[in-house]
Amino acid sequence: MLNPNKNLSTSAKYGYGIASILLLLTLWSALAGFEIISPAKLPAPWDVVNAEIRILNTGVLVPAILASLQRIGIAAIFMLIVGIPVGIAMGAWPTVNAFLSPLVDPFRSAPIVAIIPILVMWFGIGETMRIVFLWLGAVVYLIPMVRDSIKAVDPCWNSLAQDRGATSMEALFTAIVPMASPRIADSIITSVSVMWTYITVAELVNAQSGLGKLIESYKKVSQMDAVVALILTIMALALITYQLMRWLRNWKYDWEAN
Amino acid sequence: MILSVRNIVQEYKTDKGLVRIVDDVTLEYDKPGINFLMGPSGCGKTTLMRLMGGVRPTNVVTPTRGTIHIDGKLCYGPHPDVVTIFQKSTNFPFKTVRQNVNYSFELGEWANRIDYDEQQKRLDWILEKVGLTDRQDNRPAQLSGGQNQRVALASAFVMKPRILLMDEPFVGLDPNTLKGMQKLLVELQEEVGCLVIFVGHDVEEALFISDRITVLTSKPAVIAKDFVITTPKALRTDDWMDTNPLPLQIEKEILHIMRQTK
């Protein structure tokens, strides 16, 4: 019988997960090991591991990770400063939403990468442009998600607050926003994940540091194993930040665990 | 007159034009007590209650016609002396029991009304009253449905309201818990001396807790009958319900009206 809500045991959950990774690794090893696909196009898993160690030993990996992390960190701070208040305002006041949504909503489906040339014209090819790009790419996701989190709060909480004598502002900040915060936290997590997907693009133009720049330099010398190793490194970092944020969220909002 | 609702006519806009949900209802409450408002579902009880409570975010704000006076003053919109306990249990899941009961004191309106020491005294008093003193640091999720209802009751009574509106607050409780809640409500009402308007449809519940029972007919709501019960509540035992002619007579009449309006 179909049951989408079936609770898998922990061992089953990890078992299936590990099985799928093993399957992929086996397939990959076979394709690369028997050179069904040439090593220039598909480096073998062990080559990738060697490449990772090699990059680590040259001492460029850690500074690159730190540079990328710093960019994402700064962009994330600005994303929160703008995205949270704007999203809350749009969720709370339909007039604000009607006024701002034509500016915000189209950006969600905009080819954000294609905007880079414009950003270069406006902000130059330095750090500012990269931060603005990351910020823009993520904040256009965050704002509508925060707005929807506010709107999704059951109106009964607003009624309760107003009945107890709350002003509109008090109702918003003592009842609605606290009730929306777990979902707002989810939105932040998603937006930061979006930033990780944009990091290599942000570091494509004239970057002096960062993982994207490192990938570019290895690509230029056709070291595919190093490129794959770095892509996996980015994925791992994205996963770690994601899990960390999720853990933080579930700890802070333990009354609505996810 | 504590609360008077005069000549209320309430219409809703729908696709089929205006639908009249309340038709010229006048209710006057001149002394504290528990006043039961009864009628078939969808008969406009909740609408009347919302009008009295002045709760904004519904589509009902002011009556289409009619007036609401509190202490002789015309009143639309939320009134600080009118407190509502909503149909949905509304305890904030992120607050402890004590913090939930304290909620109204967090708001500017109440912070200015009574000082911190008095607030704490009231919190201790009401938590003791509802029997949750030792659960005050628990979150709502750690409590049973009945205990959560007690928290909702406490967070309303902690304000010592003049008027308390309750919209089917005890729905879904098991019979034992229900009896306990009814006793608690009667006790708290007598101690605080407020005017309670209780919307519900259980006749036995009405007979057990009410000083007055008003029966409305359905669509549009008009008052079919008003009963006043003066029997002290301490005397209203199961035995009284089963053998005394008064409750039997009232029950019979109410059921008769209900059958006719269906």
Side-chain angles (χ1 to χ4, degrees):
Chain A
M1 206 53 113
L2 178 70
N3 179 10
N5 301 320
K6 186 176 167 186
N7 277 323
L8 287 179
S9 69
T10 318
S11 56
K13 223 153 66 185
Y14 285 109
Y16 281 109
I18 291 167
S20 88
I21 291 170
L22 282 181
L23 189 71
L24 180 77
L25 274 176
T26 316
L27 197 69
W28 180 9
S29 304
L31 287 173
F34 298 113
E35 297 198 6
I36 300 167
I37 297 174
S38 83
K41 285 183 189 158
L42 184 73
W46 44 91
D47 289 336
V48 171
V49 173
N50 283 334
E52 183 81 21
I53 295 165
R54 199 170 71 234
I55 304 165
L56 200 62
N57 284 338
T58 54
V60 290
L61 186 62
V62 176
I65 289 175
L66 290 178
S68 293
L69 269 177
Q70 193 190 344
R71 283 190 188 109
I72 286 183
I74 294 171
I77 289 167
F78 283 107
M79 172 190 84
L80 296 180
I81 291 173
V82 176
I84 301 290
V86 172
I88 289 175
M90 286 173 79
W93 291 283
T95 40
V96 176
N97 186 33
F99 183 72
L100 288 180
S101 63
L103 304 180
V104 176
D105 290 343
F107 269 97
R108 253 209 288 204
S109 43
I112 219 83
V113 177
I115 291 171
I116 286 193
I118 302 174
L119 294 181
V120 169
M121 275 198 302
W122 288 354
F123 301 101
I125 51 172
E127 216 37 44
T128 315
M129 176 273 292
R130 278 184 277 280
I131 303 282
V132 171
F133 170 74
L134 282 176
W135 171 83
L136 188 66
V139 84
V140 295
Y141 278 94
L142 182 63
I143 291 172
M145 281 194 291
V146 172
R147 171 193 62 196
D148 296 344
S149 318
I150 294 287
K151 279 186 162 177
V153 173
D154 192 317
C156 72
W157 301 109
N158 189 24
S159 302
L160 177 78
Q162 294 193 5
D163 176 74
R164 299 301 194 247
T167 60
S168 298
M169 277 311 205
E170 282 178 327
L172 181 61
F173 289 109
T174 64
I176 298 174
V177 170
M179 286 307 294
S181 355
R183 283 192 62 172
I184 292 177
D186 291 338
S187 318
I188 296 169
I189 294 170
T190 309
S191 306
V192 173
S193 303
V194 167
M195 279 194 191
W196 275 111
T197 68
Y198 282 138
I199 188 70
T200 52
V201 185
E203 291 167 348
L204 211 58
V205 181
N206 190 45
Q208 306 303 315
S209 58
L211 289 162
K213 142 91 174 127
L214 211 54
I215 289 181
E216 267 310 289
S217 53
Y218 279 107
K219 206 164 81 187
K220 276 191 187 125
V221 292
S222 298
Q223 290 193 23
M224 268 312 279
D225 49 356
V227 171
V228 175
L230 286 167
I231 290 172
L232 290 177
T233 308
I234 293 177
M235 285 166 68
L237 284 168
L239 201 68
I240 291 167
T241 37
Y242 173 81
Q243 289 296 351
L244 216 63
M245 287 189 294
R246 249 184 76 117
W247 175 82
L248 204 66
R249 174 242 186 262
N250 283 340
W251 171 76
K252 180 105 183 30
Y253 304 115
D254 58 349
W255 47 275
E256 202 184 290
N258 183 349
Chain B
M1 201 63 66
I2 302 174
L3 173 68
S4 74
V5 175
R6 290 200 194 104
N7 306 108
I8 295 285
V9 174
Q10 179 69 54
E11 288 163 337
Y12 278 104
K13 261 197 195 108
T14 65
D15 325 336
K16 292 172 201 150
L18 285 180
V19 172
R20 184 166 291 196
I21 188 129
V22 179
D23 192 18
D24 199 27
V25 168
T26 296
L27 290 163
E28 307 214 296
Y29 300 103
D30 58 352
K31 55 175 187 289
I34 298 178
N35 299 273
F36 212 95
L37 206 54
M38 182 183 263
S41 23
C43 81
K45 298 174 301 219
T46 300
T47 303
L48 270 172
M49 176 146 290
R50 291 223 168 108
L51 285 167
M52 293 188 260
V55 173
R56 262 173 291 181
T58 52
N59 46 355
V60 189
V61 186
T62 54
T64 313
R65 249 182 293 149
T67 54
I68 294 167
H69 288 83
I70 292 168
D71 290 324
K73 269 190 276 179
L74 194 64
C75 175
Y76 296 124
H79 189 286
D81 287 330
V82 184
V83 170
T84 308
I85 294 180
F86 294 90
Q87 207 160 10
K88 278 188 207 167
S89 170
T90 41
N91 298 320
F92 290 107
F94 55 88
K95 287 181 188 290
T96 64
V97 167
R98 194 180 177 89
Q99 288 167 340
N100 262 297
V101 177
N102 186 53
Y103 176 66
S104 47
F105 297 150
E106 281 176 33
L107 308 168
E109 168 81 37
W110 280 89
N112 296 332
R113 278 187 163 204
I114 50 178
D115 62 33
Y116 181 80
D117 289 342
E118 170 69 13
Q119 290 175 7
Q120 297 309 309
K121 246 191 257 165
R122 283 217 200 166
L123 285 172
D124 293 336
W125 160 73
I126 196 72
L127 286 168
E128 177 74 43
K129 264 305 227 207
V130 302
L132 288 172
T133 306
D134 53 343
R135 304 300 300 268
Q136 58 179 311
D137 295 322
N138 287 134
R139 296 259 190 83
Q142 295 166 287
L143 305 180
S144 68
Q147 286 170 324
N148 267 300
Q149 293 285 10
R150 284 166 185 268
V151 179
L153 217 55
S155 46
F157 272 103
V158 78
M159 292 184 270
K160 297 195 173 162
R162 292 258 296 142
I163 300 170
L164 178 64
L165 308 174
M166 304 177 80
D167 190 357
E168 301 187 37
F170 301 152
V171 167
L173 295 179
D174 66 81
N176 269 332
T177 316
L178 181 66
K179 267 277 191 271
M181 289 302 292
Q182 291 167 343
K183 276 202 183 105
L184 184 61
L185 173 63
V186 167
E187 237 173 74
L188 284 169
Q189 186 278 325
E190 277 168 1
E191 182 160 350
V192 173
C194 56
L195 173 81
V196 175
I197 296 175
F198 192 109
V199 164
H201 38 246
D202 189 79
V203 182
E204 203 170 299
E205 178 170 62
L207 288 166
F208 190 63
I209 64 170
S210 314
D211 296 289
R212 176 178 158 192
I213 304 171
T214 307
V215 186
L216 298 171
T217 59
S218 123
K219 284 187 183 163
V222 292
I223 295 175
K225 188 96 193 189
D226 229 341
F227 302 93
V228 175
I229 312 173
T230 50
T231 315
K233 287 169 194 164
L235 301 180
R236 301 189 200 172
T237 55
D238 288 340
D239 205 38
W240 173 80
M241 295 269 201
D242 293 337
T243 55
N244 194 296
L246 179 74
L248 291 174
Q249 180 59 29
I250 294 173
E251 187 167 11
K252 215 171 118 190
E253 279 191 53
I254 291 173
L255 291 177
H256 181 70
I257 298 164
M258 294 289 205
R259 259 200 306 276
Q260 278 185 327
T261 58
K262 249 173 214 166

